């Protein structure tokens, strides 16, 4: 028997990697095609979704529920603010361009935002088969660019979920909001207090209250949000993928409502994956 060389081992690894990629593609197709007429796929593996909601509506709580429930939704979720800060921190060409604009007090252009989203979806392994975008698109032009981007990959956006809540309730929510700066985890002095006063539950590090979390600033932010978002909501209502969720509910119920968008309340992907069936995954 010939000795096994490093080249042979590498070739086998490359073959396995190609097989895994192909299997993931087939699983995604099965998830979309096996659900029958009028029924959405319940798999979070291949979900392509955007989340819309005013500041304080509870999008951060959804991410925390995803982590607590051990689903892959948290890995697929991409907040545009986090992505922008990451690009700036890494000093990429997009990050440098965005920083220059922000330092001058300007708004980052659609072109930069779209290219940043495209780079994330193409290069981030967690987003290869599915993604959840928070904070994008903010305009109809961005929504159209996202659709074009997906069309190039023979894909479509599946869900546009809007978290709806009364502005008055939002004011009371946000003025009591506490933030863990490093992770972005959020708490509330009344509705969702940390286990220990002003300390993050996970790390024990101090929490802060943002300087712009006050009623006057919030009302201005909400006015801007409604002005920007209403046309985007109308855009997705026409496509038939828009779904509203009552965000005034307690976070756990909002999470269940979101899972209901996928057709059931499963916390993880369906168990009969293709890899399991052919013996490549235990």
């Amino acid at each position: 028997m010939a000795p096994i060389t490093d080249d042979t081992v590498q070739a086998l690894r490359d073959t396995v990697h190609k097989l895994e990629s192909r299997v993931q593609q087939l699983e995604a197709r099965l998830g979309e095609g096996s659900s029958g007429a009028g029924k959405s796929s319940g798999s979070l593996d291949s979900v392509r979704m955007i989340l819309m909601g005013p500041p304080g509506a509870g999008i951060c709580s959804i991410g925390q529920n995803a982590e607590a429930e051990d689903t892959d939704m948290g890995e697929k979720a991409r907040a545009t603010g986090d992505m922008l800060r990451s690009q700036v921190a890494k000093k990429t060409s997009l990050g440098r361009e965005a920083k220059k604009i922000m330092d001058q007090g300007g708004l980052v252009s659609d072109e930069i935002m779209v290219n940043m989203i495209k780079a994330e979806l193409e290069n981030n392994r967690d987003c290869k088969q599915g993604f959840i975008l928070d904070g994008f698109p903010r305009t109809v032009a961005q929504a159209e660019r996202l659709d074009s981007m997906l069309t190039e990959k023979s894909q479509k956006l599946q869900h546009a979920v809007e978290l709806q809540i009364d502005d008055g309730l939002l004011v009371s929510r946000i003025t009591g909001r506490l933030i863990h700066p490093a992770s972005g985890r959020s708490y509330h002095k009344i509705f969702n207090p940390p286990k220990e006063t002003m300390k993050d539950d996970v790390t024990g590090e101090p929490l802060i209250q943002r300087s712009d979390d006050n009623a006057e600033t919030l009302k201005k932010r909400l006015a801007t949000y409604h002005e920007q978002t209403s046309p985007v909501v109308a855009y997705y209502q026409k496509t038939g993928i828009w779904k509203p969720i009552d965000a005034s509910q307690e976070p756990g119920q909002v999470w269940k409502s979101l899972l209901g968008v996928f057709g059931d309340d499963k916390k993880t992907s369906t168990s009969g994956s293709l890899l399991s069936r052919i013996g490549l995954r235990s």
Side-chain angles (χ1 to χ4, degrees):
M1 181 177 178
I4 299 176
T5 65
D6 289 344
D7 289 342
T8 303
V9 172
Q10 187 58 50
L12 286 171
R13 286 175 177 169
D14 291 342
T15 301
V16 170
H17 179 71
K18 290 177 181 178
L19 284 171
E20 287 179 339
S21 297
R22 181 57 179 159
V23 167
Q24 288 177 351
Q25 293 174 3
L26 291 172
E27 284 184 327
R29 291 183 183 179
L30 284 172
E32 292 176 0
S34 63
S35 53
K39 183 178 179 182
S40 300
S41 168
S43 171
L44 299 183
D45 284 335
S46 58
V47 67
R48 294 182 293 277
M49 181 176 77
I50 65 166
L51 279 175
M52 298 177 285
I59 291 178
C60 288
S61 296
I62 287 174
Q64 289 170 213
N65 270 286
E67 293 175 1
E69 296 287 341
D70 195 26
T71 75
D72 62 355
M73 186 180 286
E75 296 175 356
K76 295 181 182 299
R78 291 291 177 270
T80 52
D82 292 341
M83 282 191 281
L84 193 57
R85 285 186 287 273
S86 175
Q87 293 282 336
V88 171
K90 292 176 181 177
K91 297 182 179 180
T92 64
S93 58
L94 287 173
R96 289 194 299 270
E97 193 174 350
K99 186 177 186 300
K100 183 178 179 180
I101 294 172
M102 292 187 293
D103 287 347
Q104 295 172 350
L107 294 175
V108 177
S109 67
D110 282 355
E111 192 67 25
I112 293 177
M113 293 300 297
V114 168
N115 286 333
M116 182 181 67
I117 295 294
K118 184 176 182 180
E120 186 76 11
L121 299 186
E122 289 179 350
N123 299 323
N124 192 304
R125 186 175 181 179
D126 291 328
C127 298
K128 289 294 185 181
Q129 298 300 326
F131 58 82
I132 300 168
L133 295 178
D134 160 23
F136 183 92
R138 292 186 183 274
T139 66
V140 172
Q142 290 180 355
E144 291 172 341
R145 289 291 298 276
L146 177 61
D147 282 348
S148 298
M149 194 188 308
L150 292 175
T151 299
E152 291 175 1
K153 301 170 66 177
S154 300
Q155 295 178 339
K156 288 185 178 181
L157 192 67
Q158 296 167 315
H159 307 288
V161 176
E162 182 188 12
L163 301 182
Q164 299 179 327
I165 186 170
D166 179 74
D167 284 2
L169 180 55
L170 276 178
V171 172
S172 63
R173 273 191 179 184
I174 287 198
T175 52
R177 185 167 63 174
L178 303 171
I179 304 291
H180 179 238
S183 68
R185 280 185 290 274
S186 64
Y187 302 85
H188 194 279
K189 293 177 181 178
I190 298 173
F191 304 125
N192 181 34
K195 295 175 182 177
E196 189 173 347
T197 304
M198 293 302 293
K199 290 187 178 181
D200 177 49
D201 288 351
V202 178
T203 65
E205 295 172 345
L207 302 175
I208 65 167
Q209 185 162 19
R210 287 171 39 171
S211 59
D212 58 348
D213 279 354
N214 60 75
E216 183 178 353
T217 302
L218 176 59
K219 289 176 182 177
K220 293 179 181 178
R221 290 168 63 193
L222 286 173
T224 300
Y225 169 79
H226 292 308
E227 182 180 351
Q228 287 184 338
T229 307
S230 293
V232 179
V233 169
Y235 175 86
Y236 286 118
Q237 284 175 330
K238 291 178 183 178
T239 67
I241 65 171
W242 171 81
K243 297 175 179 67
I245 287 180
D246 179 8
S248 66
Q249 308 171 94
E250 61 93 20
Q253 190 57 47
V254 173
W255 169 245
K256 290 180 180 178
S257 298
L258 181 60
L259 289 178
V261 168
F262 307 111
D264 57 27
D265 60 355
K266 291 181 180 179
K267 297 182 293 184
T268 56
S269 305
T270 52
S271 58
S273 71
L274 186 60
L275 280 175
S276 298
R277 290 177 217 164
I278 62 177
L280 292 180
R281 183 185 295 164
S282 58

